[in-house]
Amino acid sequence: MSKKSTSESVSEQVEALRETLRHHEHLYYVLDAPEVSDAQYDVWMRELRALEEAHPELRAPDSPTQRVGGKPKEGFAKVAHSRPMLSLDNAYDETELREWDRRVHELASEEKIDYVYELKLDGLSLALTYEDAQLVRGVTRGDGEVGEDVTSNIRTIRSVPLSIAANKLRASRLPKNFEVRGEVVLPLAAFHKLNAEREEQGLAPAANPRNFAAGTLRTLEPNIVAQRRLDFYAYFALEERSYIFPQQSESLDALATAGFRVNPQRGTARNIDEAWQFIAQADAMRESLPYEIDGVVLKVNSRALQDKLGFTGRAPRWAIAYKFAARSAVTQVQNIVVQVGRTGKLTPVAELTPIPIGGTMVGRATLHNADEIARLGLQIGDYVTVERGGDVIPKVVEVLLEKRPHNARDFSFPTHCPVCGSAVVREEGEVDFRCINVNCPARLRESLLHFAARGVMNIEGLGEAVVNQLTERGLVRNLADIYSLDEAALLSLERIGEKTAQSLLQQIERSKHAPLDHVLLGLGIRFVGERTAQFLADAFGTMDRVMEASAEDLERVQEIGPRISTAILEFFSVPENRTLIEKLRAAGLNFTAEKKKTSSKLSGLTFVLTGTLPTLTREEAKERIEREGGTVSGSVSKKTNYVVAGEEAGSKLDKARKLGITILDEAALMDLLERARL
Ligand code: IVH
């Protein structure tokens, strides 16, 4: 091949890479709608840099390697930064890191150079301006020169001080006018909670916390932003005149003193070996941190040396971002299977050609729900990008359409439960399909635990250990089977002696007298909680009448709307559920509501509630006591008969002890109530 054609093909390659990068930068920085993972982006960028370095004649001022970021998008007022907000150069392995360290020493012509190490939080950088110790402006990075004024949103972030108290300012030695730069992040807990809410609302989940934080900062409704629980970590203080803090480490301490959140995972290394040790530690702690990080930042500690080292076009020479191994990879979807969760929820899962991601082999990735498959436009056989975030299960984040094989095929969501074969339902406005057969083997364990729980059928002793064994050994295949258990069957289980077996059988026997609302609650009908079950029992009086009720009948009952009535109708429309009810009837369960709602078994007795009970709320406990005729009072006196104490019970408990009043825990209260009822 001639020299000319080689350089031509290189220049074509360079131009193609630039185009690709520009396209994705636009999607990422301007539209907040990335289509490729950061890892993929980094790969292209590195390729381009390498080519430009090898062929300096191809360099161009408009190359994506020559600028900081994308253009800021319209919407918020644009504000020029006091000084450009730069990016950082990256090192992807130890060799590259040591190479940087070598250059720093060379350029600084110093032998001993201290580095400050900080976590590289995966969020968005932000510049906060304080005038006269008051927050006046919060500006996003934008293209590094001009950002967006998002002050109204920033003010809602609790870790951003709105003003700095005079004493703190003095202690920190910060001037009255200063600028702070740092990272806005959405902590993982908030991210998971918000995504769960989105799923409940039928919205597609956000791909990662950073995208969610970016979208949030651009929200025009500050009170929505306030609910999102964004966080801000400061990592720079900028001063107008020459340095107040000759070292970056002092500057960070000053920010912490002034009341900013400064990441505690930081320190000073005397050389690159010490810094490397921290990097290894950070990689190990990555999974357990409450937010996502994508690396470690090293900064030359001395500000004088920083000045000496200066900047390249886009980044300081005195700092480097060590990036952790990619958390995403491209692989092929071999099949899509559907799993049934403990609550009956159907989750589609992609079976992948196994691939290592961040040190773990990944062979499966969640697809969340049917809508997500549609949103991704995924077909079986597609190549996809799979991402493994902090503590989450791997997920498919995008389909590489250009790689779609000709034999790729559509996936159709099952209409019947893959485990038990009964029809699945999707309630209006919900994203998930569910199996609502209580006896579906996938659900049975959970159904049994719920049925036996305290406050439901109160079958003490039918806890996880026993339920696991009963279902695994096939001794119980549906809820009603527990009523045909005998001593021999129970004795065949591990860790169950004669005494335990007998008491469990007694508990099971006793549960047959449980009131109708408890039975209704025990069935585990979606949205039918304690209150609704009680209303249903009161309104219809018998199980049969509940089963026969129409949507209209149901919606006449207090607090029952179309959502609940649909769930009830669907429940009774499943043949397996009707069979179950007949079996429960045959076992002798109580299918008739007590005439009188309140008894007088506890009349004349006064109770005081204190502390937090393990399962009941205060209100629930009060309601139950009053239902049996008892009185609940707010303070302990000689007239008090019982004090019901939960966790963190305070002075009331002390007083009760002094007065010699009987103290009950939740279990004892339940027993008392149960006895009152019989
Ligand atoms: S210093 C001039 N420190 O990483 C240096 N950046 O890749 C500017 N980042 O835009 C950045 N944690 O959004 C710095 N402790 C940290 C950081 C950090 C996260 C982000 C920041 C920056 C990007 C550069």
Side-chain angles (χ1 to χ4, degrees), residues 103-105 107-108 300 304-311 317-318:
R103 268 198 319 273
V104 167
H105 279 83
L107 291 169
V300 167
L305 267 191
Q306 288 184 4
D307 275 359
K308 190 168 174 189
L309 288 161
F311 300 85
R317 287 202 187 83
W318 44 264

Side-chain angles (χ1 to χ4, degrees), residues 86-88 90 118-121 123-125 141 183 235-236 297 299 316 318 321:
L86 297 168
S87 184
L88 291 172
N90 299 320
E118 299 165 19
L119 294 180
K120 187 171 185 307
L121 301 183
L124 301 119
S125 47
R141 171 165 161 219
E183 200 81 352
Y235 52 65
F236 262 128
V297 181
K299 296 171 185 166
W318 44 264

